[in-house]
Amino acid sequence: MKIPITELRQKVVFTLMQNFSEEQSNRIADYLMWADMSGIKTQGLIKMTGSEPLQNIKPQHDITVERDTKLSQLINAGANPAPLVSQRATDVVIQKAKEHGFAIVGVHNTFSSNGAQAYYAERIANEDLIGIVMARSPGSVAPSDSLAPLFGTNPVGFAFPTNDDPLVFDMATSAMTWYGLVLAKARGEKIPENMAIDHEGNSTTDPNEAMNGALLPFDHGYKSSGMGMVVEIMAGPLAASAYCDCKTFDKEWGSTFIAIDPNLLVDVEKFKANCTNLITTVKTSRKKPGVSEIRLPGERARAAYKEAEASGTVEIDDVILKELGYLK
Amino acid sequence: MKIPITELRQKVVFTLMQNFSEEQSNRIADYLMWADMSGIKTQGLIKMTGSEPLQNIKPQHDITVERDTKLSQLINAGANPAPLVSQRATDVVIQKAKEHGFAIVGVHNTFSSNGAQAYYAERIANEDLIGIVMARSPGSVAPSDSLAPLFGTNPVGFAFPTNDDPLVFDMATSAMTWYGLVLAKARGEKIPENMAIDHEGNSTTDPNEAMNGALLPFDHGYKSSGMGMVVEIMAGPLAASAYCDCKTFDKEWGSTFIAIDPNLLVDVEKFKANCTNLITTVKTSRKKPGVSEIRLPGERARAAYKEAEASGTVEIDDVILKELGYLK
């Protein structure tokens, strides 16, 4: 049902405050509300439901800084919720890059996934910086030529400042998300063709067989497998996180946040104007037959977000609202 | 025919010295010899043949530095040969990153393509730095939903230091290279299915139709189109280069070189050991049926290079040798 945003946000913060401070709860809620308002339903309030709801996480210890330089910071998340730690990592990478032109922040030992990389990358781009955010997740994707689920679904997000909203692109390097597989299994549905293989390497549409086998990289070939490997390294070993590992499903997720000030090379105002012009050039180019509007990456999510903002309401699945006690 | 490496290298340097200094000629030869020895025949000595051979390039002006900070440098190449300028950009990015932990160098106004990004990325990784190199080329790829050849084939290369040789991955973000199209046309051959569209957006295997139409991004969908866009921006506007442009085919190629010291986040020796372990884990994992050996990205090229090095000879097409006057 559609629910007023202000009311929902208050409820979410109240629920999170059972285990987290008001400030922490607000930071987590910022991310969750953004995801649901953007129509990214698999990465929003749904994280507060199920067998390991976000609000019930018991961190091992406080978030600690393990390395800190002018340009970098390595954070041990202490198994705190990934969206909370990722908010902090984003704050740090922005602050350092604004001061020095570049920064990189690595995070390891978060609890579960930090959600959509687009959110953090866009926060960086809102500060007139280029944002690149990567996350390494437990092994579920078979590299090219292999049958073993060694790489995570390994999403990467990029965001560029423009004269208008940032240009944001994010993707999983896998053919489908792990969550999509979990959902199909729970619903007793099949998954699309060419997304996964069973334990022997045969193509399968059965989510159970896929879970015993592996997801495929998105182009089923060496290029997206290579991109998955890049993320596995950049958000694995480089962030002091686990890698090529399918045994630690509840810990050692890793992520890496990069911010680059365009002023290092060109005037940021000119860069922003060129990015705006690039968007216009693509959007006004000749369309493929049957395409009514050329969409740039991130455009659909932003339209959904703005619509929710304008209407003051957001659509949330009744099942989620009931499980959270927000709906009788 | 197989030709002794030392002899070939001398000849190449001699030919280049008709127009370039001995030092410049050696830097260009370093790259060209690497490409042919690595079996990357489309990016090596072939660049010294055809209608615009490398050695006949008349630069507009000397390579000039347009912006310089502790962490960055913007280079106007003055229409010098891209491999020459890219060697210099690689020197600079290594030196700055060794000193400060990170560096980014942008290059615009090179003559033609700098070849295989793997070469420059590997040079960076040989210095215990993570190398990321991107190049923007004239528009030939249609973004998702569009029929217009707005993005370049836009290759990107990554290299990671390990306890052994660097782990190197590079790819074009297009389904095939522009050079592949040129070659098919010259030979009167068809191109494979699903690589290109004609002017109206129909799939085509005719290289002429493809040249009047567009190449496709590598997964034919929004993910590789998005990756192509990322490179278009990072090596276009960020490097003060042209972008979304198919009218300036002989100039305004752009490229961007990034070097990151793993020590910013973790001890580099530990990082290298983990990368080595990642390689071993992938290579010794269960193989797909019919696969005799799991190959990591870059492995085939390195094996070819080492074989050439060990034998002291490299295979070069007789047509190329004759055109260069190295074979009667």
Side-chain angles (χ1 to χ4, degrees):
Chain A
M1 66 175 282
K2 281 203 183 290
I3 182 162
I5 290 166
T6 322
E7 180 193 328
L8 180 63
R9 197 193 153 91
Q10 277 173 352
K11 287 180 193 288
V12 167
V13 170
F14 185 79
T15 303
L16 289 164
M17 281 176 66
Q18 292 164 16
N19 235 333
F20 299 98
S21 75
E22 186 171 355
E23 195 215 332
Q24 289 175 326
S25 300
N26 271 298
R27 297 309 296 277
I28 300 171
D30 281 344
Y31 166 74
L32 296 173
M33 294 297 296
W34 173 88
D36 272 306
M37 287 170 71
S38 301
I40 309 169
K41 297 295 171 189
T42 57
Q43 305 281 4
L45 257 63
I46 200 164
K47 287 179 179 290
M48 297 176 72
T49 66
S51 60
E52 290 176 328
L54 197 57
Q55 65 276 19
N56 290 357
I57 293 173
K58 299 273 187 286
Q60 295 161 349
H61 57 74
D62 282 349
I63 297 168
T64 54
V65 173
E66 295 185 326
R67 186 168 296 202
D68 188 76
T69 79
K70 273 197 289 190
L71 304 184
S72 66
Q73 190 169 98
L74 180 68
I75 295 173
N76 181 333
N80 274 275
L84 175 64
V85 189
S86 294
Q87 292 279 37
R88 175 150 151 190
T90 306
D91 297 345
V92 173
V93 88
I94 288 170
Q95 184 216 314
K96 286 180 185 280
K98 279 191 148 183
E99 193 168 348
H100 302 292
F102 167 84
I104 184 167
V105 174
V107 172
H108 67 111
N109 196 20
T110 50
F111 186 90
S112 195
S113 148
N114 64 358
Q117 310 312 305
Y119 176 78
Y120 311 104
E122 181 165 352
R123 276 197 56 209
I124 297 169
N126 279 331
E127 305 292 329
D128 281 1
L129 302 164
I130 295 169
I132 306 174
V133 183
M134 287 170 272
R136 183 262 160 194
S137 49
S140 58
V141 177
S144 206
D145 289 347
S146 170
L147 293 180
L150 293 177
F151 297 159
T153 53
N154 291 7
V156 53
F158 300 88
F160 301 97
T162 76
N163 283 343
D164 192 11
D165 292 312
L167 175 57
V168 182
F169 165 57
D170 80 346
M171 64 167 182
T173 53
S174 55
M176 70 182 290
T177 61
W178 181 258
Y179 185 80
L181 209 53
V182 172
L183 209 62
K185 183 179 170 174
R187 290 177 176 165
E189 291 171 359
K190 297 220 169 288
I191 57 170
E193 302 267 357
N194 287 321
M195 297 284 154
I197 50 175
D198 67 15
H199 191 72
E200 275 68 48
N202 307 302
S203 189
T204 184
T205 57
D206 178 338
N208 292 296
E209 294 288 341
M211 282 179 177
N212 290 328
L215 293 173
L216 292 170
F218 71 84
D219 79 336
H220 317 126
Y222 85 94
K223 289 187 176 182
S224 57
S225 174
M227 279 305 300
M229 182 189 77
V230 167
V231 175
E232 190 77 16
I233 295 172
M234 295 288 289
L238 187 62
S241 164
Y243 58 92
C244 289
D245 181 14
C246 18
K247 298 179 203 83
T248 58
F249 220 91
D250 60 340
K251 59 181 179 180
E252 290 293 5
W253 302 64
S255 45
T256 295
F257 303 75
I258 292 173
I260 302 171
D261 187 344
N263 281 309
L264 286 177
L265 296 177
V266 293
D267 293 339
V268 66
E269 290 307 323
K270 192 162 184 189
F271 178 75
K272 287 162 67 179
N274 280 328
C275 287
T276 298
N277 186 43
L278 180 143
I279 293 170
T280 307
T281 304
V282 174
K283 281 194 75 71
T284 57
S285 67
R286 287 197 307 129
K287 299 175 191 68
K288 254 184 207 156
V291 169
S292 61
E293 187 194 346
I294 296 177
R295 283 179 197 271
L296 271 288
E299 222 180 312
R300 199 181 300 261
R302 181 168 296 114
Y305 182 89
K306 290 197 167 171
E307 197 186 305
E309 208 176 29
S311 74
T313 63
V314 58
E315 174 71 41
I316 304 286
D317 195 318
D318 286 7
V319 176
I320 293 176
L321 293 175
K322 278 181 188 159
E323 192 172 331
L324 286 167
Y326 301 167
L327 183 71
K328 299 282 173 257
Chain B
M1 64 175 284
K2 282 206 184 289
I3 181 163
I5 290 167
T6 321
E7 180 193 330
L8 181 64
R9 197 195 153 91
Q10 277 173 354
K11 287 180 192 288
V12 167
V13 170
F14 185 79
T15 302
L16 289 164
M17 280 176 66
Q18 292 165 17
N19 234 335
F20 299 99
S21 74
E22 186 173 353
E23 195 215 331
Q24 289 175 326
S25 300
N26 272 298
R27 297 310 296 279
I28 299 171
D30 282 343
Y31 166 73
L32 296 173
M33 294 296 298
W34 172 88
D36 272 305
M37 287 170 70
S38 301
I40 309 168
K41 297 295 171 188
T42 57
Q43 306 280 4
L45 258 64
I46 200 165
K47 288 180 179 289
M48 296 176 74
T49 66
S51 60
E52 290 176 329
L54 198 58
Q55 65 276 18
N56 290 356
I57 293 173
K58 299 271 186 288
Q60 296 161 349
H61 57 74
D62 282 348
I63 296 168
T64 54
V65 173
E66 295 186 327
R67 185 168 296 201
D68 188 76
T69 79
K70 274 198 287 190
L71 303 184
S72 65
Q73 190 169 99
L74 180 67
I75 294 173
N76 181 333
N80 273 274
L84 174 64
V85 189
S86 295
Q87 292 280 38
R88 174 150 152 188
T90 305
D91 297 344
V92 173
V93 88
I94 288 169
Q95 183 215 314
K96 285 180 185 281
K98 279 189 150 185
E99 194 167 349
H100 302 292
F102 168 84
I104 183 167
V105 174
V107 172
H108 68 111
N109 197 20
T110 50
F111 186 89
S112 195
S113 149
N114 64 358
Q117 310 313 303
Y119 176 78
Y120 311 104
E122 181 165 353
R123 276 197 57 209
I124 296 169
N126 279 331
E127 305 291 330
D128 281 1
L129 303 164
I130 295 170
I132 306 174
V133 183
M134 289 170 269
R136 184 262 160 195
S137 50
S140 58
V141 177
S144 205
D145 289 348
S146 170
L147 293 180
L150 293 177
F151 296 160
T153 52
N154 291 7
V156 53
F158 301 88
F160 302 96
T162 76
N163 284 344
D164 192 10
D165 293 312
L167 174 57
V168 182
F169 165 58
D170 80 345
M171 63 167 184
T173 53
S174 55
M176 71 181 290
T177 61
W178 182 257
Y179 185 80
L181 209 54
V182 172
L183 209 62
K185 183 179 170 174
R187 290 177 175 165
E189 290 172 1
K190 297 222 169 288
I191 58 170
E193 302 267 357
N194 287 320
M195 297 285 154
I197 49 174
D198 67 14
H199 191 72
E200 275 69 47
N202 308 303
S203 190
T204 183
T205 57
D206 178 338
N208 292 295
E209 294 288 344
M211 283 179 177
N212 290 329
L215 293 173
L216 291 171
F218 71 83
D219 79 335
H220 317 125
Y222 84 94
K223 289 187 176 182
S224 57
S225 173
M227 279 305 300
M229 181 189 77
V230 166
V231 175
E232 189 77 17
I233 295 172
M234 295 289 288
L238 187 62
S241 162
Y243 58 92
C244 290
D245 182 15
C246 18
K247 297 178 204 84
T248 57
F249 219 91
D250 60 340
K251 57 180 180 182
E252 291 292 8
W253 302 64
S255 46
T256 296
F257 302 75
I258 292 173
I260 302 171
D261 186 344
N263 281 310
L264 285 177
L265 296 177
V266 293
D267 293 340
V268 66
E269 291 307 323
K270 191 161 185 190
F271 178 75
K272 287 161 68 180
N274 280 328
C275 287
T276 297
N277 186 43
L278 179 142
I279 294 170
T280 307
T281 304
V282 173
K283 281 194 75 72
T284 57
S285 67
R286 288 197 306 129
K287 298 175 192 70
K288 256 184 205 156
V291 169
S292 62
E293 187 195 345
I294 296 177
R295 283 179 196 272
L296 270 288
E299 221 180 312
R300 199 180 299 260
R302 181 167 297 114
Y305 182 88
K306 291 197 167 171
E307 197 187 305
E309 210 176 28
S311 73
T313 62
V314 58
E315 174 70 42
I316 305 286
D317 195 318
D318 286 7
V319 176
I320 293 175
L321 294 175
K322 279 182 188 159
E323 192 172 332
L324 287 167
Y326 301 167
L327 184 70
K328 300 283 172 256

